Amino acid sequence: MSSSPEKPCPVLYDGKGSCCGCSACCCICPAGAIAMVPDEEGFLYPQVDETKCIRCELCLRVCAFKKDQSGGFAERSTE
């Protein structure tokens, strides 16, 4: 896969309340562009290396917080 500079790099969280540190995004990244980095208290949060990111957005699709907040990634039944 090649990098797509026209797409922005995904924003995985915008504050500690929007990430549980589960590492799902890091584990699913095919480019190895996400590292889990400890904050000042030792809790792990994802950090995206924009030079490695291929903008596939798998990290956003696997994120439980993004699914809950956006409603756009989770497949929902209409039944």
Side-chain angles (χ1 to χ4, degrees), residues 25-76:
C25 55
C26 182
C27 292
I28 202 166
C29 181
I34 302 171
M36 297 302 289
V37 180
D39 69 359
E40 63 279 351
E41 296 173 332
F43 294 101
L44 298 177
Y45 292 96
Q47 184 173 40
V48 179
D49 181 338
E50 293 188 25
T51 63
K52 292 182 181 179
C53 179
I54 60 173
R55 283 118 174 116
C56 65
E57 298 184 351
L58 285 175
C59 54
L60 296 177
R61 295 178 193 275
V62 75
C63 179
F65 279 77
K66 296 294 183 195
K67 287 179 185 176
D68 288 344
Q69 293 173 1
S70 71
F73 290 115
E75 294 290 327
R76 300 191 185 234

Side-chain angles (χ1 to χ4, degrees), residues 1-16:
M1 285 186 221
S2 64
S3 178
S4 301
E6 65 277 356
K7 280 178 92 173
C9 201
V11 176
L12 297 179
Y13 75 104
D14 57 6
K16 294 180 181 182

